[in-house]
Amino acid sequence: GIVSETSGEGQPLLSDVYYLERALSPYAEIAKGTISALLDNNVSVLLLADVAKIPGADQQRVKEFVAKGGMLIRFAGDRVTNGADDLVPVPLRVGGRYLGSAMAWSAPQHLAPFTATSPFNGLEIPTEVTVTRQVLAEPSSEIDNRAWARLTDGTPLITARAEGQGWIVMFHITASPTWSSLPISGLYVDMLKRLLALSAGTPARDLAGLTS
């Protein structure tokens, strides 16, 4: 599991890095650095916390990394609300959805049960996990197949798409508890463990058949 600190767009919040490290360190060797440095080290998973647009020099390298079997895992944040590049599973709307906004919920949202085809199927969803802000996906015909987790109002929380031999996965929330309490739950760890298994070559359909 890899946490990337990009040099072209400023550093991600230290809290994002902290919560990813805390969740992943028992299960994976973690390296931190620029995208180019990490790819030079032949990592298998690249995590980007609130990196809206991968710098041009790195974007082609990341595309090749995914095409050859790498896993790109991205997390939302304030930068992503202003628009992202095309290395995302589904098109994203500009602007976040959050309590107090024009498209606000009246109360924090809970997670909906995982579908039978989601690699997260079988994981228990704690009732105390709530979401107060997210980056919305633009409505599209692909969303049903690409939404691996949703909120109870039906909006995607985690989306993914296969690209070549690899995967692009998007958490529509921050990697830290800024937008939701998911990163301080055991479910967060379990989700990331399933993604590590996917990056190691376990087919998504097999993960969907697992129980926690």
Side-chain angles (χ1 to χ4, degrees), residues 23-186:
L24 288 166
S25 57
Y27 311 103
E29 183 179 342
I30 295 176
K32 293 184 289 185
T34 63
I35 291 173
S36 58
L38 291 170
L39 294 181
D40 286 343
N41 286 337
N42 297 314
V43 299
S44 58
V45 181
L46 188 66
L47 295 103
L48 302 180
D50 195 19
V51 175
K53 296 182 180 176
I54 297 170
D58 291 329
Q59 198 164 130
Q60 186 58 39
R61 291 195 66 190
V62 174
K63 288 180 180 179
E64 293 170 359
F65 160 78
V66 173
K68 293 177 181 176
M71 173 172 281
L72 173 64
I73 304 176
R74 305 184 71 164
F75 294 83
D78 288 332
R79 296 184 189 121
V80 173
T81 62
N82 294 319
D85 54 49
D86 61 357
L87 283 173
V88 288
V90 295
L92 304 176
R93 286 188 185 177
V94 174
R97 182 187 194 191
Y98 52 93
L99 293 174
S101 71
M103 294 187 294
W105 302 294
S106 57
Q109 287 285 304
H110 292 268
L111 274 66
F114 302 120
T115 65
T117 56
S118 169
F120 306 130
N121 183 44
L123 295 179
E124 183 177 345
I125 300 174
T127 55
E128 66 270 18
V129 170
T130 57
V131 175
T132 55
R133 186 171 182 179
Q134 71 180 143
V135 169
L136 286 166
E138 289 283 7
S140 70
S141 58
E142 293 99 2
I143 282 184
D144 281 347
N145 294 325
R146 296 181 181 178
W148 282 358
R150 292 179 182 267
L151 298 179
T152 49
D153 68 353
T155 52
L157 181 70
I158 300 171
T159 54
R161 68 176 165 94
E163 183 74 20
Q165 296 178 314
W167 288 95
I168 298 175
V169 181
M170 179 79 198
F171 282 69
H172 292 238
I173 51 173
T174 54
S176 67
T178 315
W179 290 14
S180 86
S181 59
L182 178 64
I184 55 175
S185 73

